[in-house]
Amino acid sequence: MLGLGYDGDLFILAFDHRGSFVKTFFGIEGAPTPEETQRIADAKTAIFEGFLRAVEREGVDKGTAGVLVDEQFGADVARRARQQSYILAMPAEKSGQNEFDFEYGDDFGQHIEFNEPTFTKVLVRFNPEGDGTLNARQAGRLKRLSDWLHRGERKFLFELLVPAEPHQLENLNGDAGRFDTELRPNLMRRAIAQLQEAGIEPDIWKIEGLDQREDCETIAQQCRVAGRDHVACVVLGRGADQNKVDEWLRAASGVPGYQGFAIGRSIWWEPLKAFVDGSMARDAVSAQIATNYARFVKVYSGSES
């Protein structure tokens, strides 16, 4: 399909978290005050400083480095990333909802045009054996966005989460680990196929980590089916520990169609928490985030010793 897809490696540092960031990270219930909003924005700036340090001092290639940040708390970061010609992804979804909807309603296009991200990103929970009415409702909104983006020759980044349905877990005696290994890979493939059939055409699929290389190959093949030859996959981190993320990156590395990652909490959670708590200086925080980010790039690239 002409113009669809993305060529080249892509290593995204993701910190577009909003609802979870406010509540879980900062312990704020409800809407943050202006002072709290500034504190949250400053934390996101600290993450961005770590990203810049990774490029400037840790050897991450600027041409492959990107940030995923939100408009609500990261507008200044987005502006700086754009001014410095970094790859920029920004979310279009309303935060903290199980059903996809637009953050800015019918004004979504105006915000995309104003921010000019390299990629517009959505996070979508979609289980092909889930509520059919819900899935159809989400697909309708997502097709609207997909069509709008491609009419304007804008790139589309789709983060697919496939949460377990109760009956699926019940059949596995409630074992979430078995769901991840035994059921989720094929459910992901089916979800992608359903979304493609609904006319939704991401340039990049942001995919939950898979333990087996053959599962990565199957997913990449589905993403590239029927002439979608340049559509790419990147691995997301799910907030997992370093060892687990390493496994997922190594499983995907070198698989045709996989071109990098989009990882967030696994990189910045611990150092940023220390910064917010006042137990780590800002420069040390940026240095640790830079090291963590650069290390995952090396793991994916096969150069980690």
Side-chain angles (χ1 to χ4, degrees):
M1 295 185 179
L2 189 64
L4 187 66
Y6 185 81
D7 294 319
D9 288 342
L10 181 62
F11 302 111
I12 294 176
L13 177 52
F15 50 110
D16 63 323
H17 308 69
R18 285 154 286 160
S20 61
F21 201 64
V22 171
K23 185 174 182 179
T24 306
F25 201 85
F26 282 90
I28 299 168
E29 297 288 344
T33 66
E35 293 77 14
E36 289 168 337
T37 296
Q38 181 54 46
R39 189 169 176 232
I40 296 166
D42 186 59
K44 296 210 171 195
T45 300
I47 298 173
F48 184 59
E49 289 165 359
F51 167 82
L52 294 175
R53 185 172 181 138
V55 174
E56 293 163 1
R57 304 190 194 184
E58 299 282 349
V60 175
D61 178 5
K62 181 177 181 178
T64 66
V67 294
L68 169 56
V69 68
D70 57 290
E71 181 178 337
Q72 182 180 4
F73 300 115
D76 186 61
V77 168
R79 179 186 57 78
R80 291 173 61 188
R82 191 171 53 247
Q83 287 177 344
Q84 296 178 53
S85 301
Y86 283 103
I87 295 165
L88 170 65
M90 298 186 75
E93 80 277 356
K94 190 174 291 185
S95 179
Q97 295 199 158
N98 289 329
E99 177 177 349
F100 169 80
D101 204 353
F102 292 102
E103 171 73 8
Y104 298 106
D106 290 340
D107 294 335
F108 71 87
Q110 296 175 29
H111 286 261
I112 295 168
E113 289 172 343
F114 176 79
N115 288 300
E116 286 293 336
T118 318
F119 298 100
T120 295
K121 167 258 182 186
V122 295
L123 182 153
V124 180
R125 295 170 176 84
F126 192 101
N127 188 314
E129 296 182 0
D131 184 329
T133 302
L134 168 63
N135 285 350
R137 202 161 53 231
Q138 293 192 103
R141 294 171 186 146
L142 291 161
K143 185 177 188 306
R144 180 186 178 193
L145 176 62
S146 178
D147 290 347
W148 185 92
L149 288 168
H150 291 309
R151 278 197 304 271
E153 299 184 347
R154 299 175 185 274
K155 294 295 184 183
F156 189 15
L157 171 62
F158 194 113
E159 178 175 351
L160 174 65
L161 303 181
V162 181
E165 288 292 314
H167 75 273
Q168 294 166 343
L169 276 181
E170 189 175 319
N171 292 337
L172 298 171
N173 298 315
D175 190 331
R178 285 184 61 195
F179 172 80
D180 277 346
T181 56
E182 297 177 24
L183 294 187
R184 183 164 57 81
N186 187 52
L187 289 170
M188 291 166 64
R189 185 198 62 76
R190 289 170 56 196
I192 292 166
Q194 284 188 18
L195 291 161
Q196 289 170 330
E197 289 166 8
I200 298 152
E201 298 292 352
D203 297 278
I204 299 180
W205 292 88
K206 186 179 173 191
I207 298 292
E208 293 180 89
L210 294 163
D211 296 330
Q212 303 299 319
R213 191 173 186 84
E214 51 265 36
D215 288 330
C216 296
E217 292 169 347
T218 298
I219 292 296
Q221 288 165 8
Q222 181 63 55
C223 291
R224 290 190 158 184
V225 74
R228 300 174 177 87
D229 298 343
H230 296 277
V231 171
C233 301
V234 295
V235 180
L236 65 89
R238 293 178 71 183
D241 64 40
Q242 176 180 294
N243 290 336
K244 193 62 186 176
V245 176
D246 284 356
E247 289 179 23
W248 293 334
L249 295 178
R250 290 182 175 126
S253 177
V255 171
Y258 270 85
Q259 290 169 206
F261 63 68
I263 299 175
R265 291 170 295 166
S266 304
I267 291 173
W268 51 256
W269 183 275
E270 291 302 328
L272 194 68
K273 195 66 177 173
F275 173 65
V276 171
D277 291 344
S279 58
M280 185 180 286
R282 191 183 193 100
D283 190 61
V285 170
S286 66
Q288 187 60 60
I289 289 172
T291 297
N292 294 348
Y293 172 54
R295 185 191 166 280
F296 281 138
V297 173
K298 291 173 183 175
V299 169
Y300 185 87
S301 304
S303 59
E304 172 70 5
S305 58

